[in-house]
Amino acid sequence: MKKLTLVLVLTIIGFTTNAQDDEGATVTVVIENVLSDGGTILGGLHTSDTFMKGQGVISAMAPAKAGEVTLTFENVEAGTFAVMVMHDVNDNKQMDMDPNGMPKESYGTSGEMNMYGPPSFDLAKFEVTDTDQEIRIRF
């Protein structure tokens, strides 16, 4: 009887786990104007708490290739988010900077880019609902 109960409980947990995996929307990010092959395109889906402070709530990456690269964030719950992407040319998993503090590697955000300072969550944010969406970011 204990084995039957254990199997039943594990089966129910398995069904609820699979059901949760299919919740949320898919956010597809197309990065335009990737200038070269080589390295990795890194992306993060951020909340206001994680924006410009490290890894996002969901991360994605793809090999860089000249032209367009697509990243996909799946099972995103409804809320307000921003996407940050960069071309990690040397695969060191960080943004390389000039001595004057300017980025050496291409980067971009969803929404509007602040051309005279660091990216802003308020300019980059967008709403995720239960509908899949595509965002285009140009390097």
Side-chain angles (χ1 to χ4, degrees):
M1 184 65 174
K2 287 183 181 181
K3 284 185 180 180
L4 179 60
T5 303
L6 179 62
V7 170
L8 185 58
V9 168
L10 291 175
T11 303
I12 292 170
I13 290 172
F15 283 128
T16 59
T17 302
N18 287 339
Q20 290 173 353
D21 287 344
D22 294 334
E23 291 181 6
T26 297
V27 177
T28 303
V29 179
V30 179
I31 300 97
E32 302 172 339
N33 199 36
V34 177
L35 298 177
S36 63
D37 295 339
T40 305
I41 303 297
L42 302 174
L45 184 71
H46 292 268
T47 64
S48 61
D49 293 334
T50 64
F51 192 78
M52 294 291 290
K53 297 176 186 151
Q55 218 173 7
V57 293
I58 303 175
S59 298
M61 63 184 189
K65 63 180 174 105
E68 288 187 352
V69 173
T70 301
L71 300 177
T72 305
F73 301 97
E74 296 180 337
N75 301 320
V76 180
E77 295 180 9
T80 304
F81 298 93
V83 173
M84 296 183 68
V85 295
M86 67 169 278
H87 184 175
D88 187 12
V89 176
N90 59 2
D91 280 327
N92 66 352
K93 305 291 187 255
Q94 64 184 16
M95 174 68 76
D96 295 324
M97 305 289 220
D98 282 330
N100 66 3
M102 296 299 290
K104 287 183 176 181
E105 297 172 305
S106 299
Y107 70 96
T109 65
S110 50
E112 296 179 41
M113 284 285 294
N114 181 2
M115 301 310 283
Y116 301 105
S120 156
F121 182 79
D122 286 336
L123 293 176
K125 69 183 177 183
F126 63 94
E127 293 297 320
V128 172
T129 62
D130 59 351
T131 304
D132 296 346
Q133 59 184 298
E134 179 180 285
I135 295 171
R136 298 186 83 78
I137 297 174
R138 185 171 176 81
F139 279 159

